[in-house]
Amino acid sequence: MKRLHMPPIDIRYWTAITLSSIFGTNLGDLYAHKSGLGLIQGVGVLSLLAALVFATERFENRRHQVYYWLIIIIIRTGATNIADYLAYIAKVPPVLLGLGVTVILCFFAWISSFTKRGTVSSSNTLPNTNIAYWIAMLAAGVFGTLGGDLCSDILGEGSSSLGLGAILLIVLFFGRQSTAKMPVVYWVTVAIARTAGTSMGDWLAENHTLYFGLSISTLITGVAFLSVLLFWKSESWRAEDTGSRIASPSK
């Protein structure tokens, strides 16, 4: 993905990633239950949609973040379905499944941290968004779904949501200067956000006090996610956008 379509790593980015995790959890469940495609066919459709977005992005030279966040939501939705299929239909042993997904995440996260020349990127931006990055992001979504479900089963959805949310805040507070500079911190934070998002999304949809249900909770989390993207503009993005207009004045 082109750099001009990639958001900077800041508090807005992590807010959007967390909300995309919650929204993607609800959307993945809604998609699986209401589309009538089933888990396997549903993932196939999502794969085609992602391929279409990637293909379109290659020919787009305007500076915006639409493609990045579209792929994030598509991948998060698919990850929910993949995790559910592996855990509940294929019935892969939990320990084997967890270890396998963790190894895949670590391997592709490591690969994505290298530039084309094989040197570690030191830019204060996202890791290199090559195919390895997106596979790692998919693995993080699967990991988060499995981890969030496990924590909810052990602690309950409410306690799990609060606990994982607190852990995410602590990691962001102490690692806020490192998430863009150290790939390992970036990916650990992504994995925690995905895990917390799963518990939060399930709690919101299944809470007997609020009683929103899956459809309403999907709408609420989707609106929250879109609102952050539409109405919260990153200062660094604005600065770069201003610099780009100055460097390339209109004729």
Side-chain angles (χ1 to χ4, degrees):
M1 185 168 285
K2 298 176 182 177
R3 283 287 174 187
L4 75 164
H5 296 146
M6 294 160 55
I9 299 180
D10 52 18
I11 189 61
R12 173 187 179 270
Y13 176 83
W14 290 115
T15 302
I17 280 290
T18 302
L19 287 173
S20 74
S21 299
I22 303 171
F23 175 46
T25 295
N26 291 155
L27 184 61
D29 289 339
L30 186 68
Y31 178 71
H33 295 157
K34 301 295 185 180
S35 68
L37 296 172
L39 294 178
I40 298 298
Q41 292 87 344
V43 170
V45 171
L46 291 173
S47 298
L48 291 175
L49 183 58
L52 177 62
V53 174
F54 277 124
T56 305
E57 189 267 343
R58 290 175 62 88
F59 299 98
E60 174 66 77
N61 291 315
R62 288 180 298 172
R63 191 168 183 270
H64 59 77
Q65 302 172 17
V66 173
Y67 296 115
Y68 179 86
W69 291 113
L70 270 176
I71 293 295
I72 285 291
I73 286 298
I74 292 170
I75 284 179
R76 183 64 180 98
T77 303
T80 300
N81 291 342
I82 291 171
D84 288 345
Y85 175 83
L86 293 174
Y88 303 117
I89 297 179
K91 297 187 182 299
V92 179
V95 174
L96 179 62
L97 179 57
L99 287 175
V101 172
T102 301
V103 169
I104 292 172
L105 170 57
C106 292
F107 176 74
F108 284 102
W110 176 71
I111 293 296
S112 73
S113 67
F114 287 82
T115 64
K116 294 179 180 179
R117 293 175 181 267
T119 57
V120 177
S121 174
S122 60
S123 177
N124 192 29
T125 58
L126 285 170
N128 197 24
T129 51
N130 49 25
I131 185 64
Y133 174 89
W134 295 112
I135 293 175
M137 190 62 74
L138 177 63
V142 176
F143 175 92
T145 301
L146 297 172
D149 287 346
L150 178 62
C151 291
S152 293
D153 289 343
I154 296 174
L155 302 174
E157 291 175 351
S159 298
S160 176
S161 298
L162 289 173
L164 290 169
I167 292 172
L168 177 61
L169 289 175
I170 292 170
V171 170
L172 286 174
F173 179 79
F174 288 103
R176 62 188 182 279
Q177 301 298 328
S178 304
T179 53
K181 299 176 182 178
M182 298 177 63
V184 64
V185 178
Y186 172 83
W187 286 110
V188 166
T189 309
V190 167
I192 295 172
R194 293 310 197 209
T195 306
T198 297
S199 291
M200 292 175 183
D202 287 342
W203 175 82
L204 188 63
E206 300 170 7
N207 186 282
H208 295 297
T209 301
L210 299 175
Y211 203 69
F212 286 138
L214 184 56
S215 298
I216 298 300
S217 64
T218 303
L219 177 62
I220 291 172
T221 54
V223 169
F225 171 66
L226 288 175
S227 296
V228 167
L229 298 184
L230 292 174
F231 301 115
W232 186 353
K233 301 300 180 183
S234 170
E235 291 300 323
S236 58
W237 179 269
R238 286 178 177 176
E240 291 179 12
D241 198 33
T242 301
S244 297
R245 287 198 297 268
I246 294 174
S248 304
S250 58
K251 294 180 180 180

